[in-house]
Amino acid sequence: MLISLEWLRRYHRPDDDSLSPGHLAHALTMAGFPVVAAEDIDGDLRLDVEITSNRPDLQCHLGVALEVAAIFGGTVSMPDARLPAISGDTIDVAVEAPDLCPLYTARIVRGVKVGPSPAWLRRALESVGQRTVNNVVDVTNFVLLECGHPLHAFDVSKLRGPRLVARRATGESLTALDGSVLELHGDDCVIADAEAPVALGGVMGGLRSEVDEGTIDVALECAVFAPLAIRAASRRHQLHTESSFRFERFVDAARAQWASDRAAALLVECCGATAVGPIRAAGPRARGGEPSASRITLRTAQLERVLGTPVDTADIERVLAGLGLAQCDAADGYTTWSIPSWRPDLVEEIDLLEEVARIVGFDRIPDVVRIPVRPQIVDERVRAATRLRGALVAVGLRECCTEPFVGEGAHDIALLDDRPALRVENPMRADEALLRRSVLGPLLRVVRGNQDRGVAAVRFFATAPVYMRAEDGDDVREWLLCGIALTGAYDDVKGAVDAALAALGLRHAVTFARGAPSPLDRGHSATLRMGDEVVGHIGELGKDARRAFGFECAIAVAELRADVLLGRAELDRPYRKISRFPAVVRDLAIVLRDDVLWEEVDRVVRAAAGDLLTDLMPFDVFRSAQIGAGRKSLALRMELRSPDRTLTGEQADACVARILAALAAEIGGELRS
């Protein structure tokens, strides 16, 4: 917003004459409105002030004058808007699109003499970069920059009929003042006479009704338009004007009559108008009157608590009254203030606290205020969830967020609970009327979407709630599940699940049992348990499931009861000193039944080896006719290490002998010859 200091001084009378341009620029900046540039224009100082979007009242000189008066003290003198005797000449107005134009007013001003503007008016407009046109147009532009309310003047002799209507466009066109031809849209608000549109409401007038040297009588429009409609029309037609800029944000309807009176008075003063007609108004705001002013109660104790420093009651009242608020009630510890119509940003107590802080000065708030700090208790479940996500990301999975709604059919998967899905009464989409019972359905839809876009290899996971009816049939039960879906085989998803369990400290607390419910392939799947409780399923999708989802490659999935696992996670690991003694590595090939799982081998070996075993991993599985049908050879690598001495070969052999004996006794394992 460009502000002329000379123009500003028309309204603001400071308590003293010490207000220098530099002081003003600094004060506005500290009050939250940075002065980004200052330029001397023929002895006048022009300030370029950044106005925040929530302060449309400062898009005019009177609004800035009120702000300056609140900062420096002094009074704001309103310009003279007194009119000569009102004549009986009127123009009829109507609003047929009240959602686009809540208030439309117009009046007839007769006997104007169009010509150059007076020197003071030209200087005022040029000081803020405005081009002068003629005295009538310059008056409307001056009032806009003075009070922030746009106006428009029509040449009455060029209007068809004594009536102006604010309505929607109906497949018409309009030649605008800049010469461009606008093909009007059905959502455009136009001002029309008896034949056709004469203006695109709130944006730009039409060329047909332009005020020129031959104009004698003008129809002076002062209206309020819906901000969203003006913004859409301005962008649609690529027309950005001073009027549209203000209507897009906020224009105070309560000031419409004053703005019209002010412009009419200037038409008399600057254009020699001989008669001013009464205002005719239409629209919801004209019929319903002005809404009652809102009120906000300000607590003195709350002000001190938020700012961290006390503020005198006298300073509070001076600041708020200086900004145009009216005190309507007061008691010990609080005051109630009536909010002026031009401040739509003031809606609750914190807004008044900010106004006091701004005007009193943020630099006056001491920086040595003690702020009480209380230690926050760490939620262990949050820590565990962070650990879980980190582990899955570390093994190459990407987290995604999915919608809680699914449709009937393949996407309505239920691995962990077979109760019927809950149906939504008013679904956003008719084909997604169920609440998910599993995170896998939406997750597989994401996998399919990526493959349809040419991404062949994908690795995703999601942690989200699922919903089902509780056992009593009335309440809704909610579980937090973690789902994994990736292109690959059982081993790929098993590795990701192992990493997640290890991060939660549950790797040896969860057991794997062969087989899982449909739609997983029973030969390449497993069920996870903690004790007797099922906490998840992993495996490859069966052929029917792959066909239903449209997958041509192998897809492996996992679904875990994250709420159970996070609640039982062991995140704090005991410190164990690393042994400085060398390790002894032994490789064994054990022949086992084909149905023996690695979980069983791992349990038996660790129990038999005790503290000497520091690492254990399988590195080969071999099947052949020599070994026998239904049997396999599993190759193990063991790392043995003592914390306090170097192991001898005899000690390592003795440990291996204990392991072989335990494998033979518990799971029928034999050393392959």
Side-chain angles (χ1 to χ4, degrees):
M1 175 69 185
L2 296 179
I3 298 293
S4 162
L5 185 57
E6 181 180 303
W7 192 344
L8 193 65
R9 284 171 172 162
R10 292 172 180 267
Y11 318 118
H12 177 233
R13 303 286 194 277
D15 292 336
D16 55 47
D17 295 328
S18 62
L19 181 57
S20 66
H23 195 190
L24 173 62
H26 175 75
L28 286 174
T29 300
M30 294 303 295
F33 309 106
V35 176
V36 296
E39 183 180 4
D40 184 87
I41 306 294
D42 295 331
D44 182 19
L45 183 69
R46 180 166 70 190
L47 302 176
D48 187 357
V49 184
E50 254 185 40
I51 306 298
T52 54
S53 59
N54 69 323
R55 291 297 305 273
D57 58 300
L58 296 184
Q59 298 290 345
C60 62
H61 282 76
L62 274 173
V64 175
L66 197 65
E67 190 79 12
V68 172
I71 298 172
F72 294 103
T75 59
V76 173
S77 300
M78 291 297 290
D80 188 6
R82 290 176 296 178
L83 292 171
I86 300 295
S87 71
D89 202 4
T90 63
I91 184 170
D92 192 20
V93 297
V95 173
E96 296 179 358
D99 57 324
L100 303 181
C101 179
L103 176 65
Y104 190 82
T105 76
R107 71 193 324 158
I108 298 293
V109 180
R110 296 196 180 277
V112 299
K113 297 180 179 63
V114 179
S117 296
W120 71 265
L121 181 54
R122 293 198 308 271
R123 178 176 173 82
L125 293 175
E126 290 170 355
S127 69
V128 291
Q130 293 289 311
R131 179 179 62 88
T132 63
V133 181
N134 57 53
N135 50 1
V136 174
V137 175
D138 290 352
V139 162
T140 60
N141 289 336
F142 177 85
V143 174
L144 178 149
L145 295 170
E146 181 178 62
C147 72
H149 203 122
L151 301 101
H152 185 69
F154 301 96
D155 186 331
V156 173
S157 66
K158 299 176 182 178
L159 298 176
R160 273 59 161 177
R163 188 169 188 256
L164 290 174
V165 181
R167 62 171 174 80
R168 276 183 162 80
T170 55
E172 303 151 301
S173 63
L174 171 71
T175 302
L177 285 172
D178 64 356
S180 60
V181 178
L182 310 179
E183 298 300 327
L184 300 174
H185 188 273
D187 288 331
D188 288 337
C189 182
V190 297
I191 310 304
D193 59 14
E195 293 184 2
V198 292
L200 178 57
V203 180
M204 184 176 286
L207 192 61
R208 175 165 68 85
S209 58
E210 178 186 22
V211 172
D212 55 25
E213 290 80 0
T215 300
I216 298 175
D217 303 324
V218 299
L220 184 62
E221 167 195 289
C222 187
V224 175
F225 297 97
L228 292 181
I230 298 301
R231 182 174 300 176
S234 178
R235 293 184 177 181
R236 187 180 299 124
H237 299 292
Q238 294 297 301
L239 285 177
H240 304 283
T241 62
E242 294 283 353
S243 294
S244 67
F245 180 82
R246 286 160 177 80
F247 280 125
E248 287 176 16
R249 287 152 179 81
F250 170 81
V251 169
D252 183 13
R255 280 189 171 179
Q257 179 167 348
W258 185 93
S260 180
D261 289 348
R262 172 63 169 161
L266 288 174
L267 289 176
V268 173
E269 176 186 342
C270 302
C271 309
T274 58
V276 177
I279 292 178
R280 295 295 299 272
R285 295 297 295 269
R287 294 191 298 270
E290 296 303 324
S292 58
S294 60
R295 296 185 175 188
I296 301 176
T297 297
L298 174 63
R299 296 165 292 172
T300 307
Q302 180 72 350
L303 179 64
E304 181 176 348
R305 188 187 72 80
V306 172
L307 299 186
T309 186
V311 179
D312 291 341
T313 302
D315 287 337
I316 297 173
E317 295 177 353
R318 174 185 60 79
V319 167
L320 297 181
L323 291 171
L325 282 68
Q327 184 174 327
C328 51
D329 193 12
D332 186 23
Y334 74 88
T335 52
T336 302
W337 297 85
S338 177
I339 308 304
S341 58
W342 63 84
R343 289 300 302 273
D345 58 306
L346 302 181
V347 295
E348 53 188 350
E349 183 184 34
I350 193 65
D351 298 323
L352 297 192
L353 301 185
E354 181 183 357
E355 293 302 289
V356 173
R358 282 195 316 106
I359 303 302
V360 168
F362 291 114
D363 54 340
R364 289 180 54 187
I365 299 175
D367 57 3
V368 293
V369 176
R370 293 184 178 275
I371 301 175
V373 176
R374 288 176 293 181
Q376 184 178 4
I377 299 176
V378 178
D379 189 334
E380 290 300 311
R381 294 178 67 88
V382 173
R383 282 185 62 205
T386 303
R387 189 80 63 84
L388 172 65
R389 289 187 173 93
L392 293 176
V393 170
V395 295
L397 274 68
R398 294 188 176 186
E399 184 173 14
C400 62
C401 297
T402 58
E403 295 183 356
F405 306 106
V406 297
E408 297 181 1
H411 291 102
D412 182 27
I413 297 175
L415 293 181
L416 291 166
D417 193 287
D418 58 359
R419 298 173 187 271
L422 294 169
R423 186 170 295 275
V424 181
E425 291 185 358
N426 299 301
M428 298 177 64
R429 290 190 288 266
D431 59 343
E432 294 182 352
L434 304 178
L435 281 174
R436 64 186 172 202
R437 298 182 291 168
S438 163
V439 294
L440 290 183
L443 199 57
L444 289 170
R445 185 165 54 190
V446 175
V447 174
R448 175 60 192 275
N450 276 265
Q451 290 196 335
D452 288 346
R453 290 163 177 80
V455 183
V458 293
R459 297 170 63 86
F460 290 123
F461 77 95
T463 303
V466 298
Y467 312 92
M468 58 209 75
R469 197 168 299 282
E471 287 79 358
D472 57 14
D474 294 327
D475 297 331
V476 174
R477 184 174 60 183
E478 180 178 319
W479 285 352
L480 182 68
L481 302 186
C482 177
I484 300 172
L486 49 83
T487 51
Y490 173 86
D491 293 344
D492 298 305
V493 73
K494 174 66 160 51
V497 171
D498 282 344
L501 294 176
L504 297 177
L506 300 176
R507 180 61 190 85
H508 301 295
V510 175
T511 60
F512 290 70
R514 188 185 300 274
S518 176
L520 301 186
D521 185 339
R522 285 197 64 84
H524 299 85
S525 61
T527 296
L528 283 66
R529 285 187 171 86
M530 292 188 71
D532 295 331
E533 184 176 7
V534 175
V535 293
H537 300 288
I538 68 170
E540 299 177 18
L541 286 183
K543 292 182 179 179
D544 292 340
R546 291 205 310 272
R547 188 180 303 112
F549 280 98
F551 294 123
E552 297 181 357
C553 61
I555 301 292
V557 300
E559 188 161 58
L560 309 175
R561 282 287 305 273
D563 49 359
V564 175
L565 298 177
L566 297 182
R568 302 181 187 178
E570 297 289 342
L571 302 181
D572 296 327
R573 314 289 175 81
Y575 169 74
R576 185 174 179 180
K577 186 178 180 181
I578 298 175
S579 175
R580 60 188 181 89
F581 298 99
V584 175
V585 176
R586 290 284 192 270
D587 291 343
L588 299 177
I590 308 297
V591 178
L592 303 160
R593 296 190 316 275
D594 209 16
D595 61 351
V596 176
L597 300 178
W598 166 251
E599 298 294 321
E600 300 175 66
V601 177
D602 181 80
R603 174 183 57 80
V604 171
V605 172
R606 290 183 183 278
D611 293 340
L612 293 181
L613 183 67
T614 55
D615 193 20
L616 172 66
M617 61 176 293
F619 64 90
D620 187 39
V621 179
F622 177 71
R623 294 177 179 87
S624 73
Q626 295 177 346
I627 297 174
R631 295 171 70 79
K632 62 185 175 183
S633 173
L634 178 64
L636 312 176
R637 176 160 295 165
M638 301 179 295
E639 182 181 276
L640 306 175
R641 189 194 305 263
S642 172
D644 53 8
R645 66 187 185 279
T646 299
L647 285 179
T648 64
E650 292 77 8
Q651 291 171 328
D653 291 341
C655 181
V656 170
R658 291 197 305 271
I659 292 172
L660 291 173
L663 289 171
E666 298 190 36
I667 57 177
E670 301 174 357
L671 183 65
R672 182 180 170 189
S673 58

